[in-house]
Amino acid sequence: MTHDLLVMDEVSTRYGRGPLALDAVTLKVRAGETVGLVGESGSGKSTLARLALGLLTPDSGTVRFDGHDPYRLRGRAGRRIRARLQFVPQQPRGSLNPALRAGEAVAFALRVHGTPRAERPERVADLFRKVGLDPDLAHRHPQQLSGGQVQRVAVARALATGPELIVCDEPTSALDTTVQARILDLLGELQERLGLAYLFISHDLAVVRRLAHRVVVLRAGRVVEENTTAALWHAPRDPYTRALLAADGDSPEPPAPARTDRPAPVGEPSAP
């Protein structure tokens, strides 16, 4: 039986004296599954991602990863827990140091988590192959790579620590449709091969529909609906969910293919 990896229980937080950014949000991500988090801009999606990663502390409620608060653990125990929880950003080019080659960015993650120096070059090459990149691209700087290639480097960097859960914050929004599809195929294949779980944040319902097993709908900092992907598209319960589907051009019908009934796509996509 799969177990809960990430558990956010009645989490609330606000910025300064303003209104609540998140209001009593409860969310779970189980081992090996993808939970899609959708909502319009300003709904609190990125704030929730920051809480999940321990970059923010909730004003109330709890955040646990595999039963632990990873950012209250210190020393080796804290590093071991944090290595199991990683992040793929919306704008990977901005998250990579332009002075470092792509391989050096991945090697830095390996160094932080204790991989011996002698082992890093082969580990970097293996990670590049795992995300569908030619290892020779490790010698290029981010500005010499395409958008799809840079996103693959970001995925390789996230994989460097052997994570069990990856928070993906709009990871395909800056890519064109063809490259976006390849990145989604890559994430699905990695999930099947490595048993990864994803918290996948997006405003694009078509993307979430393709990848997620379950979907959480966020509006103004509150969860208004949660269901399996197939059930949510077939019979959305909340008017806000129905409005999102209508605005995205989706009718309430089961997704094809239904990710809740079959494993992630198989096959290593080629680099863009």
Side-chain angles (χ1 to χ4, degrees):
M1 178 181 293
T2 59
H3 63 286
D4 295 332
L5 273 181
L6 176 68
V7 178
M8 307 181 76
D9 186 25
E10 295 288 318
V11 168
S12 297
T13 192
R14 70 175 75 239
Y15 289 119
R17 297 182 180 180
L20 286 171
L22 292 174
D23 187 0
V25 169
T26 294
L27 178 148
K28 294 182 180 180
V29 182
R30 302 183 185 98
E33 79 165 343
T34 298
V35 173
L37 182 67
V38 302
E40 60 193 350
S41 296
S43 61
K45 301 188 302 296
S46 292
T47 300
L48 190 146
R50 289 168 63 82
L51 284 166
L53 292 162
L55 301 176
L56 289 176
T57 302
D59 295 332
S60 61
T62 60
V63 179
R64 293 287 183 270
F65 178 76
D66 202 17
H68 303 280
D69 182 341
Y71 292 86
R72 290 189 178 180
L73 292 173
R74 296 290 182 263
R76 186 176 299 174
R79 288 194 297 273
R80 281 200 300 264
I81 288 291
R82 290 191 291 275
R84 298 165 60 195
L85 175 62
Q86 291 296 311
F87 179 58
V88 174
Q90 179 178 6
Q91 298 288 348
R93 200 180 298 276
S95 73
L96 296 173
N97 185 339
L100 295 180
R101 293 178 173 85
E104 291 172 329
V106 177
F108 181 79
L110 293 169
R111 187 186 80 181
V112 168
H113 290 278
T115 302
R117 179 188 293 270
E119 297 177 15
R120 291 175 206 160
E122 183 52 41
R123 286 280 291 123
V124 169
D126 179 63
L127 287 163
F128 269 56
R129 286 188 289 265
K130 192 169 289 185
V131 300
L133 288 175
D134 186 331
D136 287 344
L137 294 176
H139 303 293
R140 297 189 185 181
H141 289 86
Q143 57 269 31
Q144 297 174 304
L145 301 174
S146 71
Q149 289 169 336
V150 171
Q151 189 60 284
R152 289 171 188 264
V153 172
V155 174
R157 182 178 58 180
L159 293 176
T161 63
E164 295 168 55
L165 172 65
I166 298 178
V167 177
C168 302
D169 189 2
E170 303 271 10
T172 60
S173 63
L175 305 174
D176 66 41
T177 303
T178 301
V179 177
Q180 182 181 92
R182 291 176 179 171
I183 295 297
L184 293 175
D185 285 345
L186 171 66
L187 292 173
E189 191 273 336
L190 290 171
Q191 182 174 60
E192 182 178 79
R193 181 144 52 101
L194 304 176
L196 295 169
Y198 298 123
L199 177 59
F200 192 93
I201 298 167
S202 181
H203 68 280
D204 189 331
L205 295 180
V207 168
V208 171
R209 182 184 191 183
R210 177 170 177 163
L211 196 67
H213 300 94
R214 289 189 296 119
V215 180
V216 174
V217 182
L218 201 63
R219 181 186 188 189
R222 285 179 172 267
V223 174
V224 298
E225 185 162 357
E226 177 182 354
N227 214 329
T228 65
T229 304
L232 187 133
W233 258 263
H234 179 70
R237 297 188 299 264
D238 192 87
Y240 178 68
T241 306
R242 292 196 291 271
L244 285 178
L245 291 172
D248 203 56
D250 265 313
S251 58
E253 59 185 18
R259 279 299 321 273
T260 53
D261 299 325
R262 60 190 294 175
V266 179
E268 184 74 16
S270 60

